[in-house]
Amino acid sequence: MWLQIFSLIEQEHNQFLFTNQLVSVFKCLIMCPKLPENYTHETWQKLKEAVEAIQNSTSIKYNLEELYQAVENLCSHKISAKLYKQLRVVCEDHIKAQIDQFREYPFRVLFLKKIDKCWQDHCRQMVRLFRFYIISDLKVQSKTIDGILLLIERERSGEAIDRSLLRSLLSMLSDLQIYQDSFEQRFLEETNRLYAAEGQRLMQEREFSDVCHYLLGLNHLLDENRIQDLSLLYQLFSRVRGGVQVLLQHWIEYIKAFGSTIVINPEKDKTMVQELLDFKDKVDSIIDVCFMKNEKFVNAMKEAFETFINKRPNKPAELIAKYVDSKLRAGNKEATDEELEKMLDKIMIIFRFIYGKDVFEAFYKKDLAKRLLVGKSASVDAEKSMLSKLKHECGAAFTSKLEGMFKDMELSKDIMYMQCQNIPGNIELTVNILTMGYWPTYVPMEVHLPPEMVRLQEIFKTFYLGKHSGRKLQWQSTLGHCVLKAEFKEGKKELQVSLFQTLVLLMFNEGEEFCLEEIKLATGIEDSELRRTLQSLACGKARVLTKTPKSKDVEDGDKFSCNDDFKHKLFRIKINQIQMKETVEEQASTTERVFQDRQYQIDAAIVRIMKMRKTLSHNLLVSEVYNQLKFPVKPADLKKRIESLIDRDYMERDKENPNQYNYVA
């Protein structure tokens, strides 16, 4: 009832303000009766007593209807403003009197009950005042929020609490419109902290067997590169006692298994290196993003790569060398210089894992020789960058011969510059002087050169030996190449061909048709090499010769003639140099040379160890030899080398102990 009175006073107070503004327009037509003397004072005293009775929860001794009528009378006589102020002061004084008890009251559940009672007493009468004077006090508000959170925490811990009290307090925060700003954020933070701690506790208490079933899908996640799921899996296992170690073991097994499918299968030889690079990029990304760059996973990855890549000895080393050759060869338009440099860095990472680095060196040297001798290197800077990387990885001894090859090419240019002015005639001769120890081993092949070429060779030989007495020159016809000027019905062309192709084509200046046997007799080219050469000239894309009968292969009795109708859109035509292509025999020869070099290295290591130790048991000798060698050796092969050294009197078996060796000075 007193709320209605308060509202009436407030209404009349506001109406009074508006009435003053409109006084010039409206005039009161009805005159209100005059109030009795002391009416205002007596009415206020009654109202004050009634308000205090309500505030103290005691009975009101006055009739509420009478009080309401008295307030209406005062308002109709323009006393509403004064009455409003008096009533507001009484309410504020009452509210202010409550605040001190809340500030000093001990922080416990009773405090919350007292706050709730105060709210219940005033929530329907003085919400605005309660919010302004009670709950807006920082100390009171903080204790209230802390108390509510404490009740929630106790309930979550299994204690019985006064749920009606909690509901009432939360409803109060909502009604006062401070739930979101003052309570919600802290509630969410406490909840997050609670469940994080609870989760950690449960994970520590649980055994790995409780979560091991998640590993069943690990291979599937890795195959599909499910980054987000792998991250969650790692977080889960990192919280379980011993979980990371088990995950690490499965990680190693996955890399070994997947990598082995790339390396072991011969059908994948053409794509092996690229697949290894892609796989390495994939596992690096998983480690960085999903496994938080955990050093254990990095080291495990390296060990796993080293294991599976050497399951197939020598072949990965050979294919890596050929892959580098394909990228460094002229005509490779796949990458910019920057991309090529990044690719070489990635190749070097794979290169570190292989044991047979000498196999890589042998094939790399052979391919480098081809690039240098026929001018097929895409970039000298890229070549030297690769050499620098190999030198940094394997030491100066590993790259000394490769660097020597570049030095030979540079010195050859200087020599030809000095000598070119002394060569008569219209044939241009370019000679590359190759130091035998630097370059791959080439089997010399004697062929029948035209007199003009023989004369130029002798002129150069006289010039060079005059500058470098005591040296010996050996001409390598298999490496020679020429540019021939030819004239067909369509017009003049230039043919870029090998020396063997040159010798065959020059014969057609002397005649129109020759059979296989005649060409072989005239050129002196070895039979299988000649057949491949004729095949490139008469059966390839640029058919400058015509073969009778027509077929893909060259057979005994086949006849060849010049193709005067030859046409080509280019002026200079490069005819595939078959003798520069690697054959199966050449691959086997390169591998055999590596194995031969390995035998020399094994012998040297054994002698070096025995010379220093004088006497050594078989097991200790084998152990020390393995420590010195940089390539894998089978125990049976090592035993053969020991027997060979015994036969050659470098060492001997002890007469009393056959498992012990003595060095023979």
Side-chain angles (χ1 to χ4, degrees):
M1 179 68 183
W2 79 274
L3 180 61
Q4 294 176 333
I5 295 172
F6 187 83
S7 299
L8 176 63
I9 297 171
E10 187 174 21
Q11 244 177 10
E12 289 296 331
H13 172 63
N14 293 333
Q15 186 180 350
F16 173 73
L17 296 177
F18 291 118
T19 303
N20 286 341
Q21 297 173 9
L22 302 174
V23 70
S24 59
V25 180
F26 296 103
K27 291 185 178 179
C28 186
L29 300 178
I30 302 176
M31 213 54 175
C32 296
K34 188 177 180 181
L35 294 174
E37 191 175 352
N38 296 326
Y39 182 82
T40 301
H41 177 71
E42 291 173 357
T43 300
W44 166 244
Q45 289 300 322
K46 292 179 182 179
L47 285 174
K48 183 180 179 183
E49 289 178 19
V51 169
E52 289 174 347
I54 292 172
Q55 290 172 340
N56 296 322
S57 300
T58 58
S59 60
I60 303 173
K61 61 182 180 179
Y62 302 107
N63 183 278
L64 293 179
E65 188 66 31
E66 180 186 343
L67 290 174
Y68 187 86
Q69 185 61 53
V71 169
E72 187 176 1
N73 292 338
L74 292 176
C75 290
S76 63
H77 284 79
K78 313 303 181 187
I79 307 175
S80 59
K82 178 181 178 182
L83 189 60
Y84 177 83
K85 290 178 182 178
Q86 289 175 318
L87 187 57
R88 185 180 181 89
V89 169
V90 171
C91 293
E92 288 179 352
D93 288 345
H94 175 75
I95 293 294
K96 289 176 183 178
Q98 307 294 317
I99 192 65
D100 290 335
Q101 64 171 330
F102 292 125
R103 287 174 178 167
E104 305 304 327
Y105 206 87
F107 175 58
R108 58 185 71 157
V109 176
L110 289 177
F111 167 82
L112 296 176
K113 291 183 176 180
K114 198 164 185 66
I115 278 284
D116 182 57
K117 183 176 184 306
C118 182
W119 165 249
Q120 296 299 333
D121 289 343
H122 300 88
C123 65
R124 293 182 179 82
Q125 291 87 1
M126 295 180 288
V127 172
R128 191 166 50 185
L129 294 176
F130 184 88
R131 181 173 58 193
F132 186 80
Y133 287 104
I134 301 295
I135 210 63
S136 292
D137 184 89
L138 294 179
K139 189 173 182 180
V140 174
Q141 185 182 115
S142 177
K143 289 171 69 175
T144 303
I145 300 299
D146 290 344
I148 294 173
L149 292 174
L150 179 62
L151 284 178
I152 295 172
E153 182 182 349
R154 286 179 176 176
E155 184 179 43
R156 285 171 170 171
S157 300
E159 295 184 28
I161 64 165
D162 188 342
R163 283 196 155 206
S164 61
L165 171 62
L166 181 60
R167 278 196 299 270
S168 179
L169 291 170
L170 293 175
S171 176
M172 174 190 76
L173 297 181
S174 179
D175 290 343
L176 294 174
Q177 298 179 352
I178 63 171
Y179 179 92
Q180 189 171 5
D181 295 336
S182 301
F183 174 77
E184 186 177 64
Q185 185 60 34
R186 283 195 58 191
F187 171 69
L188 293 176
E189 288 173 359
E190 291 295 328
T191 302
N192 184 63
R193 195 160 28 245
L194 169 74
Y195 286 111
E198 182 69 6
Q200 190 66 31
R201 181 185 67 80
L202 290 173
M203 295 302 290
Q204 292 299 323
E205 289 178 357
R206 289 190 172 194
E207 295 297 328
F208 172 73
S209 57
D210 295 331
V211 294
C212 66
H213 59 278
Y214 290 108
L215 283 173
L216 298 176
L218 177 60
N219 287 5
H220 179 68
L221 297 180
L222 290 168
D223 286 340
E224 296 193 353
N225 205 27
R226 302 260 290 274
I227 298 296
Q228 187 174 1
D229 292 335
L230 287 168
S231 299
L232 293 174
L233 188 68
Y234 176 77
Q235 293 174 29
L236 172 66
F237 277 80
S238 62
R239 295 174 181 174
V240 180
R241 186 169 58 250
V244 170
Q245 189 58 39
V246 177
L247 181 61
L248 182 66
Q249 191 58 41
H250 280 74
W251 169 248
I252 294 172
E253 292 171 2
Y254 173 79
I255 294 176
K256 288 180 180 179
F258 190 91
S260 296
T261 62
I262 299 174
V263 172
I264 298 298
N265 188 358
E267 294 180 359
K268 288 194 171 186
D269 283 357
K270 290 185 178 180
T271 60
M272 179 196 293
V273 179
Q274 188 58 55
E275 287 190 39
L276 287 174
L277 292 173
D278 294 341
F279 184 45
K280 180 65 170 55
D281 285 342
K282 175 181 174 179
V283 296
D284 284 345
S285 176
I286 291 173
I287 290 173
D288 288 345
V289 179
C290 306
F291 297 161
M292 311 292 287
K293 299 182 180 179
N294 189 320
E295 198 65 28
K296 291 182 179 179
F297 283 81
V298 175
N299 294 332
M301 177 270 295
K302 292 178 180 178
E303 292 176 7
F305 260 81
E306 189 172 327
T307 299
F308 78 72
I309 208 169
N310 291 292
K311 280 187 174 181
R312 190 179 175 194
N314 305 321
K315 197 63 179 180
E318 174 190 337
L319 295 177
I320 290 172
K322 290 180 178 178
Y323 183 87
V324 175
D325 174 61
S326 70
K327 299 301 180 183
L328 293 179
R329 206 182 302 146
N332 175 31
K333 306 295 184 182
E334 296 178 11
T336 62
D337 291 344
E338 186 177 346
E339 290 170 340
L340 181 59
E341 186 69 17
K342 289 181 179 178
M343 185 278 299
L344 293 178
D345 286 334
K346 291 182 178 180
I347 281 288
M348 289 307 301
I349 294 175
I350 302 296
F351 172 76
R352 291 190 188 109
F353 299 134
I354 62 175
Y355 292 150
K357 291 181 172 60
D358 51 349
V359 175
F360 171 90
E361 191 243 354
F363 282 95
Y364 184 84
K365 182 166 70 172
K366 182 168 62 65
D367 292 332
L368 174 61
K370 290 181 182 179
R371 295 197 298 274
L372 295 178
L373 294 175
V374 297
K376 291 178 68 176
S377 182
S379 165
V380 175
D381 290 339
E383 294 281 8
K384 292 187 175 180
S385 173
M386 185 62 188
L387 275 186
S388 176
K389 296 178 194 300
L390 290 170
K391 187 174 183 178
H392 181 267
E393 183 68 28
C394 304
F398 187 85
T399 57
S400 60
K401 294 180 180 179
L402 303 176
E403 291 172 327
M405 294 166 67
F406 279 93
K407 187 180 294 185
D408 281 350
M409 297 301 293
E410 292 170 3
L411 290 174
S412 297
K413 290 179 182 178
D414 295 338
I415 291 171
M416 292 311 302
Y417 177 77
M418 291 186 293
Q419 200 259 347
C420 66
Q421 301 174 6
N422 301 321
I423 301 179
N426 59 357
I427 299 178
E428 297 180 9
L429 174 68
T430 301
V431 180
N432 290 317
I433 311 297
L434 312 182
T435 305
M436 190 171 291
Y438 294 159
W439 296 77
T441 302
Y442 300 107
V443 178
M445 185 183 296
E446 293 294 331
V447 293
H448 304 154
L449 298 177
E452 297 92 335
M453 290 188 181
V454 174
R455 184 175 62 86
L456 290 175
Q457 281 187 345
E458 290 301 321
I459 292 173
F460 180 82
K461 183 178 179 181
T462 302
F463 166 78
Y464 183 78
L465 296 181
K467 296 283 185 181
H468 306 279
S469 60
R471 295 189 181 181
K472 181 181 178 182
L473 288 178
Q474 183 183 65
W475 297 92
Q476 292 288 350
S477 56
T478 57
L479 303 178
H481 55 93
C482 306
V483 176
L484 292 180
K485 293 181 179 179
E487 190 168 349
F488 302 95
K489 288 181 181 179
E490 187 187 54
K492 294 181 179 180
K493 300 286 184 181
E494 287 187 357
L495 306 178
Q496 190 173 343
V497 290
S498 71
L499 178 59
F500 294 162
Q501 291 169 325
T502 300
L503 297 180
V504 171
L505 291 174
L506 287 177
M507 288 184 63
F508 292 92
N509 285 334
E510 308 299 330
E512 294 184 357
E513 186 178 76
F514 299 95
C515 66
L516 174 64
E517 290 73 17
E518 291 172 330
I519 297 174
K520 181 178 179 181
L521 184 63
T523 61
I525 301 174
E526 185 266 333
D527 184 74
S528 61
E529 191 68 52
L530 178 60
R531 290 175 189 269
R532 287 198 297 269
T533 301
L534 288 169
Q535 193 176 22
S536 70
L537 295 171
C539 306
K541 292 182 179 179
R543 300 184 181 184
V544 293
L545 296 182
T546 301
K547 185 176 83 69
T548 306
K550 293 183 178 181
S551 63
K552 291 184 178 180
D553 299 320
V554 175
E555 306 292 346
D556 294 343
D558 285 354
K559 294 183 179 181
F560 299 87
S561 59
C562 182
N563 180 13
D564 293 330
D565 296 324
F566 174 75
K567 295 180 181 181
H568 202 283
K569 62 180 180 180
L570 299 177
F571 175 70
R572 174 172 284 194
I573 304 139
K574 182 178 180 181
I575 300 178
N576 193 21
Q577 302 175 38
I578 288 182
Q579 85 278 8
M580 293 299 289
K581 282 189 172 181
E582 185 178 60
T583 62
V584 176
E585 293 81 5
E586 287 176 327
Q587 288 186 20
S589 175
T590 302
T591 305
E592 183 61 34
R593 285 197 298 272
V594 172
F595 291 157
Q596 189 65 45
D597 290 340
R598 285 183 176 181
Q599 289 186 356
Y600 298 146
Q601 293 181 54
I602 295 170
D603 290 354
I606 294 172
V607 172
R608 191 164 51 245
I609 293 168
M610 290 304 301
K611 186 176 182 179
M612 181 178 64
R613 301 294 292 272
K614 305 302 181 187
T615 299
L616 208 59
S617 68
H618 176 80
N619 290 339
L620 286 176
L621 176 60
V622 170
S623 177
E624 292 201 24
V625 170
Y626 278 136
N627 290 335
Q628 289 196 14
L629 297 178
K630 297 180 179 179
F631 49 84
V633 182
K634 295 179 181 178
D637 293 336
L638 188 54
K639 189 174 181 181
K640 288 180 182 179
R641 301 317 308 158
I642 293 174
E643 294 294 339
S644 174
L645 290 171
I646 292 174
D647 292 341
R648 288 179 282 163
D649 295 330
Y650 283 95
M651 54 195 290
E652 64 180 7
R653 275 194 172 85
D654 190 86
K655 294 178 181 179
E656 297 181 359
N657 185 358
N659 283 326
Q660 187 162 299
Y661 305 111
N662 299 323
Y663 176 68
V664 177

